[in-house]
Amino acid sequence: VSQSRYVLCEEVGELAKALLDEPRERVREEAIQVAVMAMRVVLDGDSSYDELRKERGLDPLTDNLQE
């Protein structure tokens, strides 16, 4: 099961902290990490949401539950 939602949230939190407390280069590094994790969701999906989305009548974020 993918845990990208937790990692993405953690990275966003680190970016928020960097925006307030860190030099520009650190902000840039954190922003890149957020972008990388967001792209992983775009490219790979996140199977940890598939069952919940199925229950709500939504399509999965990954191909593993498609009928």
Side-chain angles (χ1 to χ4, degrees):
V1 173
S2 174
Q3 299 298 318
S4 64
R5 64 182 166 188
Y6 301 116
V7 177
L8 180 57
C9 288
E10 178 185 357
E11 294 299 339
V12 169
E14 290 174 4
L15 174 58
K17 183 181 182 318
L19 285 165
L20 298 172
D21 299 330
E22 302 288 337
R24 179 175 33 190
E25 183 57 30
R26 184 71 180 141
V27 171
R28 182 177 180 279
E29 291 170 3
E30 293 298 339
I32 290 169
Q33 290 177 16
V34 169
V36 167
M37 287 309 303
M39 285 306 300
R40 285 186 65 187
V41 173
V42 168
L43 297 173
D44 300 335
D46 186 340
S47 62
S48 64
Y49 286 105
D50 286 352
E51 283 298 321
L52 176 63
R53 291 179 58 82
K54 183 177 180 181
E55 291 171 8
R56 295 179 178 191
L58 298 169
D59 57 334
L61 297 176
T62 59
D63 291 333
N64 64 351
L65 288 182
Q66 290 181 351
E67 299 174 15

